[in-house]
Amino acid sequence: RAVQDGDILSLNCFPMISGYYTALERTLFMGHASDEHLRVWNANVEVHERGLELIQPGAKCSDIAKELNEVFLKHGLLEYRTFGYGHSFGTLCHYYGREAGLELREDIDTILAENMVVSMEPMVTLPIGHPAAGGYREHDILVVKKDGAENITKFPF
Protein backbone atom coordinates (compact mmCIF):
# COMPACT_ATOMS: atom_id res chain seq x y z
CA ARG A 1 0.00 0.00 0.00
CA ALA A 2 1.05 3.59 -0.35
CA VAL A 3 2.58 5.32 2.67
CA GLN A 4 -0.13 7.03 4.71
CA ASP A 5 -0.29 9.87 7.23
CA GLY A 6 0.83 8.58 10.63
CA ASP A 7 2.90 5.65 9.30
CA ILE A 8 6.24 4.93 10.95
CA LEU A 9 9.14 4.88 8.50
CA SER A 10 12.68 3.69 9.04
CA LEU A 11 15.65 5.39 7.40
CA ASN A 12 18.39 2.74 7.02
CA CYS A 13 21.81 3.42 5.52
CA PHE A 14 24.70 0.91 5.67
CA PRO A 15 27.54 2.33 3.56
CA MET A 16 31.09 1.09 3.28
CA ILE A 17 33.69 3.84 3.58
CA SER A 18 37.33 3.02 2.82
CA GLY A 19 36.66 -0.67 3.43
CA TYR A 20 34.83 -0.20 6.72
CA TYR A 21 31.11 -0.58 7.32
CA THR A 22 29.14 2.07 9.11
CA ALA A 23 25.44 2.56 9.73
CA LEU A 24 22.72 5.08 10.31
CA GLU A 25 19.10 4.45 11.24
CA ARG A 26 16.42 6.89 12.27
CA THR A 27 12.72 6.49 13.02
CA LEU A 28 10.59 8.84 10.95
CA PHE A 29 6.88 9.56 10.82
CA MET A 30 4.82 10.35 7.74
CA GLY A 31 2.92 13.52 8.53
CA HIS A 32 1.34 13.52 11.99
CA ALA A 33 2.53 11.25 14.81
CA SER A 34 0.14 10.49 17.65
CA ASP A 35 0.98 11.41 21.23
CA GLU A 36 1.51 7.71 22.05
CA HIS A 37 3.85 7.23 19.08
CA LEU A 38 5.85 10.26 20.18
CA ARG A 39 5.97 8.96 23.78
CA VAL A 40 7.49 5.68 22.62
CA TRP A 41 9.86 7.41 20.20
CA ASN A 42 11.04 9.81 22.92
CA ALA A 43 11.62 6.89 25.30
CA ASN A 44 13.70 5.09 22.66
CA VAL A 45 15.71 8.26 22.02
CA GLU A 46 16.29 8.56 25.79
CA VAL A 47 17.68 5.01 25.83
CA HIS A 48 19.80 5.78 22.77
CA GLU A 49 21.25 8.97 24.25
CA ARG A 50 22.00 7.26 27.57
CA GLY A 51 23.69 4.46 25.67
CA LEU A 52 25.89 6.98 23.85
CA GLU A 53 27.00 8.30 27.26
CA LEU A 54 27.76 4.81 28.59
CA ILE A 55 30.05 3.76 25.74
CA GLN A 56 33.54 4.48 27.06
CA PRO A 57 36.73 2.55 27.82
CA GLY A 58 36.37 0.27 30.83
CA ALA A 59 32.60 -0.15 30.49
CA LYS A 60 31.31 -3.73 30.56
CA CYS A 61 28.85 -4.66 27.80
CA SER A 62 26.46 -6.39 30.22
CA ASP A 63 26.41 -3.37 32.55
CA ILE A 64 25.48 -1.07 29.67
CA ALA A 65 22.62 -3.40 28.68
CA LYS A 66 21.34 -3.67 32.24
CA GLU A 67 21.31 0.11 32.74
CA LEU A 68 19.50 0.67 29.45
CA ASN A 69 16.95 -1.98 30.42
CA GLU A 70 16.08 0.18 33.42
CA VAL A 71 15.24 3.13 31.17
CA PHE A 72 12.93 1.00 29.01
CA LEU A 73 11.40 -0.48 32.18
CA LYS A 74 10.69 3.03 33.54
CA HIS A 75 8.66 3.70 30.38
CA GLY A 76 6.87 0.33 30.40
CA LEU A 77 8.61 -0.74 27.19
CA LEU A 78 11.18 -3.38 28.21
CA GLU A 79 8.95 -6.25 27.09
CA TYR A 80 9.04 -4.84 23.53
CA ARG A 81 12.84 -4.83 23.24
CA THR A 82 13.77 -7.33 20.56
CA PHE A 83 17.59 -7.77 20.76
CA GLY A 84 20.80 -6.30 22.13
CA TYR A 85 21.64 -2.60 22.18
CA GLY A 86 24.60 -2.70 19.80
CA HIS A 87 27.62 -4.64 18.57
CA SER A 88 31.04 -4.40 16.98
CA PHE A 89 31.47 -2.85 13.54
CA GLY A 90 34.30 -2.72 11.05
CA THR A 91 35.48 -4.60 7.99
CA LEU A 92 32.64 -7.11 8.31
CA CYS A 93 29.13 -5.78 8.30
CA HIS A 94 26.68 -6.72 11.01
CA TYR A 95 25.19 -9.51 8.88
CA TYR A 96 28.43 -11.45 8.42
CA GLY A 97 30.78 -12.47 11.18
CA ARG A 98 30.25 -9.79 13.75
CA GLU A 99 31.89 -10.51 17.05
CA ALA A 100 29.48 -12.30 19.36
CA GLY A 101 31.85 -11.34 22.17
CA LEU A 102 31.25 -7.64 21.57
CA GLU A 103 27.50 -7.23 21.81
CA LEU A 104 25.74 -4.91 24.22
CA ARG A 105 23.69 -7.63 25.90
CA GLU A 106 23.18 -8.82 29.47
CA ASP A 107 25.17 -12.03 28.89
CA ILE A 108 28.32 -10.44 27.40
CA ASP A 109 30.99 -9.33 29.88
CA THR A 110 33.45 -7.89 27.37
CA ILE A 111 35.11 -4.68 28.56
CA LEU A 112 35.18 -1.83 26.02
CA ALA A 113 38.65 -0.56 25.15
CA GLU A 114 40.13 2.32 23.18
CA ASN A 115 39.76 2.02 19.38
CA MET A 116 36.89 -0.48 19.49
CA VAL A 117 34.06 0.44 17.10
CA VAL A 118 30.55 -0.27 18.33
CA SER A 119 27.00 0.59 17.44
CA MET A 120 24.31 1.98 19.70
CA GLU A 121 20.94 0.91 18.34
CA PRO A 122 18.15 0.39 20.83
CA MET A 123 14.93 -0.89 19.28
CA VAL A 124 11.44 -1.63 20.46
CA THR A 125 8.72 -3.21 18.36
CA LEU A 126 5.13 -2.79 19.53
CA PRO A 127 2.51 -5.19 18.15
CA ILE A 128 -0.50 -4.41 16.00
CA GLY A 129 -3.31 -3.37 18.31
CA HIS A 130 -1.05 -1.32 20.57
CA PRO A 131 -1.77 2.43 20.27
CA ALA A 132 1.87 2.99 19.23
CA ALA A 133 2.24 -0.14 17.07
CA GLY A 134 5.40 -0.26 15.00
CA GLY A 135 9.18 -0.39 15.24
CA TYR A 136 11.44 2.31 16.63
CA ARG A 137 15.22 2.34 16.23
CA GLU A 138 17.95 4.96 16.32
CA HIS A 139 21.39 3.71 15.26
CA ASP A 140 24.79 5.39 15.48
CA ILE A 141 28.39 4.18 15.23
CA LEU A 142 30.94 5.13 17.89
CA VAL A 143 34.70 4.82 18.18
CA VAL A 144 35.83 4.26 21.76
CA LYS A 145 38.45 6.89 22.63
CA LYS A 146 40.79 7.31 25.59
CA ASP A 147 38.31 9.50 27.50
CA GLY A 148 34.91 8.50 26.08
CA ALA A 149 33.60 7.80 22.60
CA GLU A 150 33.24 9.69 19.33
CA ASN A 151 29.92 9.40 17.51
CA ILE A 152 31.01 9.24 13.87
CA THR A 153 27.45 9.11 12.52
CA LYS A 154 26.69 12.74 13.36
CA PHE A 155 23.15 12.65 11.97
CA PRO A 156 20.48 14.57 13.90
CA PHE A 157 17.15 13.25 15.15
Side-chain angles (χ1 to χ4, degrees), residues 6 25 27 37 46-47 49 54 76 98 102 112-113 117 127 133:
E25 291 183 71
T27 303
H37 282 103
E46 180 182 339
V47 171
E49 289 177 338
L54 293 171
R98 77 174 180 220
L102 184 48
L112 298 181
V117 179

Side-chain angles (χ1 to χ4, degrees), residues 140-153:
D140 289 330
I141 303 298
L142 295 98
V143 178
V144 179
K145 299 290 188 173
K146 182 179 179 181
D147 298 317
E150 177 186 2
N151 184 338
I152 62 171
T153 305

Side-chain angles (χ1 to χ4, degrees), residues 2 7 9 14 43 58 60 70-71 86 94 105 108 117 119 126 135 141 157:
D7 282 353
L9 306 173
F14 298 99
K60 187 188 303 185
E70 292 301 315
V71 181
H94 65 299
R105 296 190 327 228
I108 303 295
V117 179
S119 63
L126 286 73
I141 303 298
F157 293 104

